[in-house]
Amino acid sequence: MAGNEWINGYLEAILDSGASAIEEHKPAPTLALNVRERGHFNPTKYFVEEVVTGVDETDLHRTWIKVVATRNTRERSNRLENMCWRIWHLARRKKQLEWEDFQRLANRRWEREQGRRDATEDMSEDLSEGEKGDAVMEMVPGETPRKKFQRNFSDLQLWSDDNKGNKLYIVLISLHGLVRGENMELGRDSDTGGQVKYVVELSRALAMMPGVYRVDLLTRQISSPEVDWSYGEPTEMLTSGSYDADGNDVGESSGAYIVRIPCGPRDKYLHKELLWPHIQEFVDGALAHILNMSRVLGEQIGRGQPVWPYVIHGHYADAGDSAALLSGALNVPMVLTGHSLGRNKLEQLLKQGRQSKEDINATYKIMRRIEAEELSLDAAELVITSTKQEIDEQWGLYDGFDVKLEKVLRARARRGVNCHGRFMPRMAVIPPGMDFSNVVVQEDTSEVDGELSTHGEIASLIGTDGTSPRAVPAIWSDVMRFLTNPHKPMILALSRPDPKKNITTLLKAFGECRPLRELANLTLIMGNRDDIEEMSSGNASVLTTVLKLIDKYDLYGLVAYPKHHKQSDVPEIYRLAAKSRGVFINPALVEPFGLTLIEAAAHGLPMVATKNGGPVDIHRALNNGLLVDPHDQKAIADALLKLVAEKNLWHECRKNGWRNIHLFSWPEHCRMYLTRVAACRMRHPHWQMDTPLDDMAVDESLGDSLKDVQDTSLRLSVDGDKSSLNGSLEYDTVELEKVAAGKGDPELQDQVKRILSKIKKPTSEAQETTDSGKKPHENMQNTVNKYPLLRRRKRLFVIALDSYDEQGNPNKNVLQVIQETFKAVRSDTQTSRFSGFALSTAMPISEMLQFLKSGKIQATEFDALICSSGAEVYYPGTYQCIEDEKKLCPDPDYASHIDYRWGRDGLKRTILKLMSSQDGKGSKSDDSTSTIEEDVESSNDHCLSYLIKDSTMAKRVDDLRQKLRMRGLRCHLMYCRNSTRLQVVPLLASRSQALRYLFVRWGLNVANMYVILGGTGDTDYEELISGSHKTVILKGVVEKGSEDLLRTVGSYHRDDIVPGESPLVTSTDGHTANDISNAMKEISKLSA
């Protein structure tokens, strides 16, 4: 031991710290069993199993090479010592991360169970005793509810040719990557992979279904020199649907199209991790396209009425976030497909122990991705998965989905029992479709005495029977050159050389089973490689192990492992294996779906596959092989030997695969897809307020006439000191009558007369009331409009300043900024007449009107008032929005629009309960301990408002939202008014979404809006910054906001919501009309 004294210290550290660590970390019983044998600690075994094999650092191997190459004994000893201590440090760090991960998961499980229990208790209050028992039984998995649910599924009416007359408009969204219809660059980067191919093929397949008129696949437009010019084209046709199967013309806009929406930097290709701040801008652009297309389709197939999307389907987290906002703005159903889930990836990365949660978040923006997936679950009617395992083991990790609670809610809804606003999205397993057009089905050759005549067929192909070889695909030659006897059945494995794919276990099973080696060959298609040393450490390690195992078991001539193959070679590889009467195997430790199993079955190959994950569902559908435990190499060998040796079984599996493969075709996928979507709660914009199309057309012409009148310097005073109020088109009828009766341009007089005839109609009822001695609208202008003037605006200036004092009362400086904004806009006479104003605030309407009155500002200065953090929208000066008692009434269409999933009573009870205890354990509310109390004056039908007693004790928005999601409650939470109020509004309501509603309802494009903000604000402040509107930030107006109560430590960051640099955002230190005007001019130039 001379010169190696460090080993003693090393082993002592293992004994002192390692054993105690094992005692502390009770959650790993298998570890304790391996390390301790009969109660005694075995340091050697601990070192081998936990320190050496448990660490996978790429540079340790390079260090070891240097150690081996060192001749000096002392230097070698020093290097060994350093290396071993590094391993020890990494192992300890990994143990620490595992323990933290275990604690986090345990806390999360407890919170989910508590949430489920609270939800069940709240819902059981309105049940009879018998129904309470049913509710408890629903929480326990059993046969009876499962049978009920299955029967409920079978009641769905399958989509068929009977739906041909529907003419649906479907919108799909796949935001990231390079998306085009032809020559897809799959594999160019991690963002351009199977999802791109999937969404393009899905678009084409849906457009071919009966009843589907148009499919739009929305993605990001990329005009960058880094990528091909085709990704910058605004539109790309995938399929033309101009003619149906009978040759009838069905319309010029039918078919499937890729529509590219610009967002973010126009000249840069951004990876998905960098797209998050630009989501809102994408949504605004997509909304403009959908509204335009709805009008176009309305003219073609809707008899003049807009054709709204039947469904908006988001693919992946970023598109799911976009689809949720679009669905909320349009009030149409949303569908989600996750493809790959953030929580699942986070769990896997944490288990590896190489990165902390903070490092993972910095690299992958994983917390923003998870929040986007949670928001998608909030809004989605339906979530489509590939396998049941994805539902249980992946979506089950999310706050917004609980399998047990979903079953309870579904059962209650089926019985018509109130769920108090609780909701869980429906999950549907629909396997991905495949294009089998290139698959050539091989006819079974004749059987002679039970032996399939394979030998002669292969021999004739490769020319070993004395004849000239036939022309065969090049990949066949590349494979068969490895094999001594290519006539034997081929066991085919096709995957990248990833440790999770378990190729080495397959090779061991083959090498150690002599009967299998004698009966079959093994072909490993492990991606493409030039030099193993240049590959990533994981892939290189697998390939190196494969080569060593081939040498160990002397498998030369029995195993083929070609270095290269093209994507077009894959069908030929399947065909070769099928001709040899071979078997396809997928031995992955866990396989999310298993697309290769379907491809192999289509080519007539029976399968042996892992029993973990998607292959279970595939095997249930195809019944064309055997499932095995991927850790049991004997079971793998036995299954392969059984299929290769028993010809009748092989033949039966082959036939079963062909018989059932249609279940994975695109037509079948689309049929199930449309069936499931049709079962959703169908919604589309439906307006209660009277807006007949003919009146809209007349009003537009009146607007043009009034502009002509204004151009002739006809400036009418309403209040005596304001000229042409806010540049709007509201005029005194007395002055107009003077123009009509006077002498002048006959054409102008005719226009004015038409205006007068139109104005007098809606005011006749008001005139009768005035004649009877009553003046119903003295607080309004002398005249009111039938419809909001937003319909005729070309620009809208939205003032959303969240400036409040310590008691939550609005500061007077806001009134000054409003007046200065009026002056700034009206200083340009050419644009002011087309411009309108809106005020957006957390205050209720009564308090807002009182505040404006204190500054001598009339409510009718504004075209729209967005109150209660987006819970209500008012149109001052519009008689349809004025009650008989001189009060403004909110837009009823907006109220019905945001009512979706609004569980006011359930939220009210739950929030008081959660905020009454700091640990969130849901103890009974007590006014003496609660940090909040209800603010009745600020609450309304769609807003719950609470006074915050102590903001330092208040829960953060994301923490409170998480607990509500676990209880099945969906809403929009925000702290406002200088952290003195907590306001809860419906999921579809917010100040930013209210602007999109104005676009949908009245046609004023969000891109033509200017939003004026302070330097900080309420917790919804970030949502108001980003988007396609222009944002002007007035520094110094708002001293303190509520943003400190938005996120907890470890959540996503502001940079994930708000773009760092954007031509659509500017700021100014001054607050005068001149400063505001200059800022608006600057941002208009930058965004042009």
Side-chain angles (χ1 to χ4, degrees):
M1 295 289 293
N4 291 323
E5 292 83 2
W6 58 270
I7 294 179
N8 295 326
Y10 182 59
L11 293 177
E12 286 176 8
I14 293 177
L15 289 167
D16 293 341
S17 301
S20 61
I22 295 166
E23 288 295 331
E24 293 174 359
H25 299 171
K26 290 290 186 183
T30 55
L31 170 64
L33 289 175
N34 289 336
V35 175
R36 292 184 177 273
E37 294 178 350
R38 298 180 182 178
H40 299 290
F41 179 69
N42 186 331
T44 305
K45 191 163 188 178
Y46 177 83
F47 176 79
V48 172
E49 293 187 357
E50 295 303 313
V51 181
V52 178
T53 62
V55 175
D56 183 20
E57 285 289 309
T58 56
D59 57 344
L60 285 179
H61 181 259
R62 288 193 291 270
T63 303
W64 174 254
I65 296 298
K66 291 180 181 179
V67 169
V68 173
T70 302
R71 295 184 179 182
N72 186 290
T73 305
R74 180 177 293 277
E75 184 178 353
R76 177 185 295 183
S77 179
N78 289 338
R79 289 192 179 218
L80 280 171
E81 179 179 359
N82 292 334
M83 181 178 177
C84 289
W85 279 112
R86 271 180 66 201
I87 294 174
W88 170 239
H89 171 72
L90 290 169
R92 281 182 61 104
R93 180 167 171 264
K94 186 173 182 179
K95 289 292 180 188
Q96 182 180 1
L97 291 173
E98 287 176 352
W99 176 239
E100 292 173 355
D101 182 51
F102 170 78
Q103 289 182 312
R104 179 178 56 83
L105 292 177
N107 290 335
R108 183 176 179 79
R109 280 194 296 270
W110 183 90
E111 287 181 350
R112 289 180 69 95
E113 189 61 35
Q114 181 67 40
R116 191 184 305 133
R117 207 161 33 237
D118 287 351
T120 308
E121 288 176 3
D122 289 346
M123 290 188 296
S124 65
E125 292 179 4
D126 61 337
L127 297 179
S128 64
E129 290 301 319
E131 288 174 319
K132 287 182 182 179
D134 292 342
V136 173
M137 291 302 295
E138 285 162 358
M139 300 296 292
V140 181
E143 290 301 320
T144 303
R146 187 179 299 123
K147 289 179 182 177
K148 287 182 180 179
F149 298 150
Q150 288 176 351
R151 186 174 68 248
N152 187 38
F153 294 161
S154 65
D155 289 342
L156 296 177
Q157 185 175 357
L158 287 175
W159 197 267
S160 65
D161 290 340
D162 296 338
N163 303 97
K164 188 179 293 184
N166 287 343
K167 298 194 174 182
L168 306 179
Y169 174 35
I170 295 175
V171 176
L172 309 179
I173 307 175
S174 184
L175 189 54
H176 63 261
L178 300 171
V179 182
R180 65 182 180 189
E182 303 296 334
N183 301 318
M184 287 178 275
E185 299 182 79
L186 302 181
R188 170 173 174 148
D189 58 24
S190 58
D191 292 353
T192 310
Q195 179 182 326
V196 171
K197 181 181 179 184
Y198 174 86
V199 294
V200 169
E201 291 186 352
L202 175 61
S203 301
R204 287 192 174 114
L206 279 174
M208 303 300 293
M209 293 297 292
V212 177
Y213 185 79
R214 180 181 173 100
V215 178
D216 279 343
L217 171 57
L218 307 186
T219 189
R220 179 174 178 251
Q221 185 182 35
I222 307 166
S223 302
S224 169
E226 304 173 38
V227 300
D228 191 74
W229 62 270
S230 59
Y231 300 112
E233 289 295 296
T235 307
E236 177 184 346
M237 179 186 289
L238 294 175
T239 61
S240 173
S242 299
Y243 298 92
D244 60 16
D246 301 326
N248 301 317
D249 187 4
V250 295
E252 59 182 351
S253 297
S254 61
Y257 298 83
I258 296 175
V259 179
R260 299 184 177 91
I261 308 295
C263 68
R266 302 296 187 266
D267 59 344
K268 290 183 180 179
Y269 171 52
L270 300 179
H271 291 287
K272 59 179 178 287
E273 291 80 11
L274 302 178
L275 284 175
W276 294 113
H278 310 291
I279 293 291
Q280 301 244 22
E281 185 183 355
F282 177 86
V283 169
D284 291 338
L287 184 60
H289 165 78
I290 292 172
L291 290 175
N292 181 60
M293 185 52 59
S294 295
R295 286 191 292 268
V296 171
L297 296 180
E299 294 172 1
Q300 294 180 5
I301 59 175
R303 297 180 181 178
Q305 297 293 329
V307 175
W308 302 107
Y310 187 63
V311 68
I312 297 178
H313 187 167
H315 294 266
Y316 194 79
D318 48 14
D321 196 342
S322 305
L325 292 173
L326 283 170
S327 169
L330 292 164
N331 200 20
V332 298
M334 174 198 162
V335 173
L336 173 67
T337 300
H339 290 277
S340 171
L341 300 184
R343 281 202 188 277
N344 188 53
K345 182 170 185 174
L346 176 61
E347 297 296 328
Q348 291 177 354
L349 292 173
L350 287 174
K351 286 178 181 177
Q352 291 178 7
R354 300 181 194 174
Q355 291 179 292
S356 65
K357 186 177 179 180
E358 292 73 21
D359 294 335
I360 294 170
N361 191 34
T363 303
Y364 300 103
K365 307 293 183 184
I366 202 76
M367 300 311 296
R368 177 64 180 91
R369 174 177 168 184
I370 290 172
E371 179 57 24
E373 289 161 342
E374 293 282 10
L375 289 170
S376 301
L377 286 175
D378 288 342
E381 287 277 355
L382 178 69
V383 178
I384 293 177
T385 70
S386 299
T387 65
K388 190 175 184 301
Q389 178 260 355
E390 184 180 341
I391 299 174
D392 298 334
E393 299 180 17
Q394 296 185 41
W395 282 117
L397 298 173
Y398 284 78
D399 304 327
F401 182 75
D402 184 281
V403 175
K404 294 180 180 178
L405 185 55
E406 191 269 340
K407 289 181 179 180
V408 173
L409 295 174
R410 197 190 327 160
R412 289 173 65 92
R414 193 167 57 248
R415 293 202 305 264
V417 180
N418 188 6
C419 294
H420 298 288
R422 288 176 169 81
F423 174 84
M424 288 285 168
R426 292 294 299 272
M427 297 272 172
V429 178
I430 307 178
M434 284 191 60
D435 182 9
F436 298 127
S437 59
N438 295 324
V439 176
V440 179
V441 178
Q442 306 167 38
E443 296 294 333
D444 286 341
T445 54
S446 60
E447 298 184 19
V448 181
D449 296 329
E451 293 288 334
L452 294 172
S453 58
T454 305
H455 182 94
E457 187 174 358
I458 296 293
S460 64
L461 286 174
I462 62 177
T464 58
D465 58 349
T467 63
S468 299
R470 301 184 200 172
V472 298
I475 190 64
W476 287 21
S477 301
D478 290 341
V479 170
M480 289 189 290
R481 66 186 176 89
F482 286 89
L483 306 175
T484 303
N485 183 3
H487 310 298
K488 294 194 296 185
M490 178 187 295
I491 298 169
L492 174 64
L494 193 155
S495 70
R496 63 184 186 276
D498 189 297
K500 294 180 292 187
K501 296 302 181 181
N502 205 28
I503 297 173
T504 54
T505 302
L506 168 63
L507 199 53
K508 290 177 184 177
F510 182 77
E512 294 180 9
C513 182
R514 182 174 178 179
L516 187 60
R517 295 199 309 269
E518 292 176 350
L519 283 177
N521 295 318
L522 177 62
T523 297
L524 304 175
I525 306 297
M526 301 175 290
N528 291 284
R529 63 187 183 277
D530 291 317
D531 188 344
I532 293 178
E533 291 186 356
E534 295 178 357
M535 302 179 71
S536 64
S537 59
N539 292 354
S541 174
V542 171
L543 284 166
T544 302
T545 304
V546 165
L547 296 177
K548 288 180 178 179
L549 290 174
I550 290 173
D551 186 74
K552 175 182 178 179
Y553 295 113
D554 194 17
L555 300 178
Y556 299 105
L558 298 176
V559 180
Y561 43 98
K563 294 184 67 171
H564 299 99
H565 73 280
K566 296 178 290 187
Q567 188 64 30
S568 58
D569 291 332
V570 173
E572 297 297 342
I573 296 171
Y574 287 129
R575 197 157 65 90
L576 175 61
K579 280 188 172 294
S580 70
R581 300 297 186 264
V583 177
F584 182 81
I585 180 167
N586 182 338
L589 299 176
V590 177
E591 180 59 62
F593 180 63
L595 203 60
T596 53
L597 296 173
I598 300 172
E599 293 175 345
H603 288 84
L605 276 171
M607 73 170 190
V608 172
T610 176
K611 66 177 185 179
N612 299 331
V616 175
D617 294 328
I618 294 174
H619 178 261
R620 186 181 297 117
L622 297 181
N623 191 26
N624 70 326
L626 303 171
L627 298 178
V628 295
D629 180 354
H631 299 281
D632 188 344
Q633 68 183 50
K634 184 177 186 304
I636 294 174
D638 290 345
L640 290 171
L641 184 61
K642 185 177 182 68
L643 277 173
V644 170
E646 297 183 20
K647 299 301 181 181
N648 291 335
L649 176 62
W650 184 93
H651 195 64
E652 181 183 354
C653 290
R654 174 187 176 101
K655 284 188 174 181
N656 287 344
W658 277 342
R659 183 183 302 115
N660 301 315
I661 198 65
H662 71 278
L663 297 174
F664 297 95
S665 66
W666 275 118
E668 184 67 20
H669 175 92
C670 292
R671 188 176 296 109
M672 291 303 302
Y673 174 91
L674 293 171
T675 299
R676 290 290 187 176
V677 171
C680 294
R681 175 185 169 188
M682 286 296 111
R683 319 185 324 265
H684 61 81
H686 180 71
W687 314 130
Q688 300 175 33
M689 290 176 62
D690 178 30
T691 51
L693 294 177
D694 55 340
D695 281 358
M696 291 177 68
V698 172
D699 284 346
E700 291 298 331
S701 65
L702 293 179
D704 294 338
S705 300
L706 285 173
K707 293 170 194 172
D708 295 337
V709 171
Q710 197 171 32
D711 287 340
T712 62
S713 301
L714 177 60
R715 314 295 289 186
L716 304 177
S717 175
V718 176
D719 296 322
D721 59 345
K722 298 183 183 70
S723 176
S724 182
L725 180 64
N726 74 25
S728 72
L729 303 178
E730 299 171 353
Y731 297 91
D732 194 332
T733 55
V734 176
E735 296 294 335
L736 290 174
E737 287 174 349
K738 291 180 181 179
V739 176
K743 296 181 180 180
D745 186 356
E747 184 177 350
L748 177 60
Q749 290 179 323
D750 290 340
Q751 291 176 347
V752 174
K753 289 177 182 177
R754 288 199 302 272
I755 295 169
L756 284 170
S757 65
K758 188 63 183 174
I759 289 176
K760 288 179 179 179
K761 288 181 181 180
T763 59
S764 59
E765 182 179 347
Q767 185 63 40
E768 291 175 5
T769 307
T770 304
D771 293 341
S772 64
K774 298 179 182 179
K775 297 181 180 179
H777 311 312
E778 290 178 345
N779 62 323
M780 299 296 148
Q781 292 182 15
N782 295 341
T783 60
V784 291
N785 294 278
K786 185 174 182 180
Y787 305 116
L789 292 172
L790 289 167
R791 299 166 59 254
R792 295 195 290 264
R793 300 302 189 199
K794 291 188 177 179
R795 296 196 305 178
L796 183 68
F797 294 87
V798 183
I799 301 172
L801 296 168
D802 303 324
S803 180
Y804 303 93
D805 61 22
E806 293 182 356
Q807 286 72 43
N809 300 314
N811 289 321
K812 297 296 184 181
N813 63 344
V814 175
L815 296 172
Q816 181 183 353
V817 173
I818 291 174
Q819 295 284 17
E820 294 296 319
T821 304
F822 287 165
K823 292 178 183 178
V825 175
R826 292 170 185 162
S827 63
D828 187 346
T829 57
Q830 294 298 318
T831 59
S832 64
R833 55 188 178 176
F834 310 129
S835 303
F837 297 93
L839 189 59
S840 181
T841 177
M843 292 185 286
I845 184 64
S846 57
E847 191 173 351
M848 179 194 286
L849 292 176
Q850 186 177 1
F851 178 62
L852 292 175
K853 186 177 180 180
S854 69
K856 298 181 180 180
I857 300 174
Q858 292 196 22
T860 47
E861 296 274 10
F862 298 95
D863 293 337
L865 300 175
I866 301 170
C867 305
S868 301
S869 300
E872 293 182 328
V873 174
Y874 296 84
Y875 308 116
T878 305
Y879 83 82
Q880 288 189 357
C881 291
I882 301 175
E883 295 177 344
D884 293 337
E885 299 178 355
K886 306 179 184 180
K887 294 181 179 179
L888 287 173
C889 62
D891 180 352
D893 292 326
Y894 185 69
S896 62
H897 184 92
I898 64 175
D899 198 54
Y900 177 67
R901 291 187 185 169
W902 174 235
R904 191 180 193 278
D905 295 337
L907 283 164
K908 186 175 180 179
R909 274 202 302 265
T910 306
I911 287 174
L912 286 170
K913 187 184 296 185
L914 291 175
M915 294 294 282
S916 66
S917 58
Q918 290 307 304
D919 56 4
K921 293 184 179 179
S923 60
K924 297 295 183 183
S925 62
D926 184 352
D927 291 341
S928 62
T929 61
S930 178
T931 59
I932 62 172
E933 64 176 283
E934 188 176 0
D935 182 4
V936 178
E937 293 183 357
S938 298
S939 299
N940 55 57
D941 290 343
H942 290 96
C943 177
L944 291 170
S945 184
Y946 299 92
L947 290 167
I948 306 298
K949 296 179 181 179
D950 184 359
S951 62
T952 62
M953 303 295 289
K955 289 181 172 62
R956 299 296 189 267
V957 168
D958 57 357
D959 182 32
L960 191 54
R961 184 166 51 198
Q962 177 193 45
K963 290 175 170 56
L964 290 173
R965 282 170 174 159
M966 288 180 174
R967 290 155 176 82
L969 293 165
R970 320 286 170 159
C971 62
H972 206 132
L973 295 159
M974 59 205 74
Y975 287 97
C976 55
R977 305 179 70 169
N978 198 0
S979 303
T980 63
R981 303 287 196 286
L982 168 66
Q983 297 202 153
V984 186
V985 300
L987 177 67
L988 302 190
S990 71
R991 291 195 288 174
S992 60
Q993 283 291 80
L995 299 182
R996 296 189 177 102
Y997 170 80
L998 296 180
F999 183 14
V1000 175
R1001 183 69 179 91
W1002 305 112
L1004 180 57
N1005 197 320
V1006 176
N1008 296 330
M1009 297 182 185
Y1010 292 74
V1011 178
I1012 300 170
L1013 303 171
T1016 183
D1018 300 343
T1019 53
D1020 62 346
Y1021 172 79
E1022 294 173 357
E1023 300 172 18
L1024 289 166
I1025 297 178
S1026 52
S1028 65
H1029 58 259
K1030 286 84 172 173
T1031 303
V1032 178
I1033 298 175
L1034 305 182
K1035 297 180 179 178
V1037 175
V1038 182
E1039 295 182 1
K1040 188 174 184 297
S1042 309
E1043 291 185 285
D1044 291 342
L1045 292 174
L1046 179 57
R1047 286 183 285 268
T1048 53
V1049 177
S1051 184
Y1052 60 92
H1053 305 298
R1054 174 171 172 158
D1055 293 343
D1056 299 330
I1057 301 292
V1058 179
E1061 295 182 4
S1062 172
L1064 298 174
V1065 181
T1066 190
S1067 61
T1068 177
D1069 294 321
H1071 312 144
T1072 65
N1074 188 51
D1075 295 325
I1076 296 172
S1077 178
N1078 290 336
M1080 291 177 179
K1081 290 177 182 177
E1082 177 187 354
I1083 197 172
S1084 297
K1085 289 180 182 178
L1086 291 174
S1087 59

